[in-house]
Amino acid sequence: MAQTPKFSDRPRILVVGGGYVGLYVAHKLQKKVKAHGGIVTLVDPLPYMTYQPFLPEVAGGNIEARHAVVSHRMHLTDTELITGKVTRVNHGSRTAVVEPSDGSEPFELTYRDVVISAGAITRTFPIEGLADEGIGLKTIEEAVALRNQLLERIETGSLMEPGPERDRALTFVVVGGGFAGIEALAEMEDLARAAVKKNHRLGRSDIRFVLVEALDRIMPEVTEDQAKWVVEHLRSRGVQVKLNTSLASAKDGKLKLINMPDKTPADEFETDTLVWTAGVQANPFVRNTDFPIDERGRVRANPELRITGDDGPLDGAWTAGDVSAVPDLSGGGVGGFCVPNAQHAVRQAKLLADNIYAERYGVGRVREYKHKNLGAVAGFGQYKGVANIMGFGLRGLPAWLAHRGYHGMAMPMFERKFRVVTNWILGFVFGRDTTQLMDLQTPRRAFHEAATPPPKKQETPSLDKDRTEDTEKAKPKAKAKA
Ligand SMILES: Cc1cc2nc3c(=O)[nH]c(=O)nc-3n(C[C@H](O)[C@H](O)[C@H](O)COP(=O)(O)OP(=O)(O)OC[C@H]3O[C@@H](n4cnc5c(N)ncnc54)[C@H](O)[C@@H]3O)c2cc1C
């Protein structure tokens, strides 16, 4: 283990993960803790918080990728920032091991208080070929790649003769009918529609979108009637919605679907684009800590957001967001716990910051987390959506406006809100941006070509040279003859 680099030796609140929870906790505490002689340290492998509800809109080309993330350096100016992963925590000795993102030697950090806010990762199943062929929608990089993949496949498909190869290129599949999957599918379909309008070699009917959902309904966050309406809406846009269907194999892009629950064969076809959005699971890094974990791999918490074992809460250990099992005192949660969403993450983060401050510095009092879910809003591309706000259902344009209004307000930091709203205004004026960026995986290609001398051409013999050689060749012959 490398020696601890020269980080602050002030009493540390270590925040593990700078997503929703980490960003808000650090932002709320950084100045107050500094004033008391302490330091907030945030460790995250990414230098930004990702506003995940905007990932479908980034994939659909409505929002510029950089505008959907919040830079830690720009907004956490009084926080000690470390770009790396926490790989282990030993709360007994109050130490954490950090693996820097630049690949340098891991080192140890000591702390007085710790906040475990490492979120969730995509939950997958051992399906043949899925790891090689699939892509998730949990990071900004995935959203950017998805947008480019869709536009590239449409462009390439438009140059192909009709047949199985073109069908494969122009088939786009989303597995998972939760909010993220449906929003992603709808945004991609809108983007594809806009792209084919500008490509006279293709029509919308040449492109196939398929939604695969293992249950008999989609979007558990909205009422059954609304969910049925969403299915009809997607079908009216030409999307094949396959309910009670699951993915059995994706080997080499050849999808085998099965009926659920009897697992009989359902359908087989090929695709180059398989998006997997079938749920999330608590970040498995927490298994490398000495914190109490529940049967679903979440860090156990009490309503005060303290990490809690069988013998009660641990001193100086806090958690919130998707990584944690926080009791839902409003009575609405699944299995008695808050569901993993941004609505809870933001509110928990703000309370957690207040509770740490109250506990450490005696200002205010430690309170319990209680929040009744306000509902959900989803956008399905321009002017389309569905929403369930405190039991009140909306569809179409009003739902889409509610979606934009809510997320426009909920995006952290004024400058980010402004950038996102500007994107929307630009989209309204100029339409969806269907420009495909080339060579993202090989950005040095153009320079490499320019800087590499052309391969030596095989010398084309000049006529004179031919003649000389012929004469030379002729000489010995002549000699021999002679
Ligand atoms: C596509 C999509 C759409 C969504 N839409 C909605 C929506 O409309 N409404 C809603 O309420 N919710 C929505 N959600 C859910 C919401 O985004 C999450 O509930 C929320 O992000 C949880 O916040 P968090 O802070 O717990 O985790 P995150 O925001 O995921 O942050 C976790 C952070 O921890 C970091 N990290 C991971 N491992 C380590 C480690 N070992 N060490 C240090 N740092 C680490 C990560 O890099 C990340 O920055 C959506 C999610 C997705 C994927």
Side-chain angles (χ1 to χ4, degrees), residues 16-22 43-46 48 50 52-53 55-56 84-87 117-120 137-138 179-180 183 283 285 320-323 340-343 345 377 407:
V16 181
Y20 269 89
V21 174
V43 184
D44 195 306
L46 303 172
Y48 45 76
T50 306
Q52 292 169 26
L55 294 179
K85 242 183 196 168
V86 172
T87 52
S117 50
L137 190 60
K138 195 82 181 84
F179 249 63
E183 283 192 305
N283 194 320
F285 122 85
D322 287 6
V323 75
N341 68 22
Q343 217 180 108
V377 286
H407 286 296

Side-chain angles (χ1 to χ4, degrees), residues 123-327:
R123 182 190 54 174
T124 58
F125 303 106
I127 295 171
E128 189 185 29
L130 177 61
D132 294 327
E133 305 296 329
I135 182 168
L137 190 60
K138 195 82 181 84
T139 67
I140 198 77
E141 293 76 10
E142 287 170 327
V144 172
L146 208 49
R147 177 178 176 278
N148 266 323
Q149 160 86 0
L150 183 111
L151 294 171
E152 188 278 327
R153 286 292 79 193
I154 288 177
E155 195 60 37
T156 303
S158 78
L159 293 170
M160 292 173 172
E161 292 297 325
E165 214 183 322
R166 190 178 86 153
D167 290 347
R168 178 179 167 128
L170 297 178
T171 296
F172 302 94
V173 182
V174 173
V175 180
F179 249 63
I182 301 294
E183 283 192 305
L185 179 81
E187 286 288 346
M188 283 164 59
E189 196 276 331
D190 238 26
L191 176 62
R193 207 172 268 273
V196 291
K197 254 191 202 159
K198 298 185 180 80
N199 187 327
H200 61 267
R201 291 189 295 263
L202 283 181
R204 167 64 185 88
S205 57
D206 294 314
I207 298 176
R208 183 181 183 194
F209 280 95
V210 184
L211 173 75
V212 178
E213 167 55 54
L215 300 177
D216 60 359
R217 65 160 288 179
I218 57 167
M219 300 183 97
E221 300 86 346
V222 298
T223 63
E224 209 161 328
D225 272 356
Q226 281 181 307
K228 278 186 188 153
W229 176 82
V230 175
V231 169
E232 287 318 308
H233 169 77
L234 291 175
R235 286 184 174 148
S236 74
R237 286 166 63 174
V239 176
Q240 294 175 6
V241 180
K242 292 177 182 282
L243 301 177
N244 294 312
T245 308
S246 186
L247 179 66
S249 173
K251 194 163 188 294
D252 302 325
K254 295 180 180 122
L255 304 197
K256 288 187 181 155
L257 304 183
I258 49 171
N259 296 307
M260 295 301 282
D262 53 13
K263 300 196 173 170
T264 50
D267 199 358
E268 287 189 22
F269 55 90
E270 298 190 16
T271 181
D272 291 328
T273 313
L274 172 62
V275 189
W276 180 270
T277 57
V280 294
Q281 64 177 85
N283 194 320
F285 122 85
V286 295
R287 296 178 198 275
N288 300 331
T289 67
D290 51 355
F291 294 126
I293 307 292
D294 77 355
E295 67 294 342
R296 291 176 64 180
R298 300 172 297 187
V299 180
R300 287 169 59 193
N302 73 3
E304 292 174 348
L305 307 173
R306 297 177 197 264
I307 298 180
T308 303
D310 291 338
D311 301 328
L314 310 181
D315 178 51
W318 306 81
T319 189
D322 287 6
V323 75
S324 62
V326 175

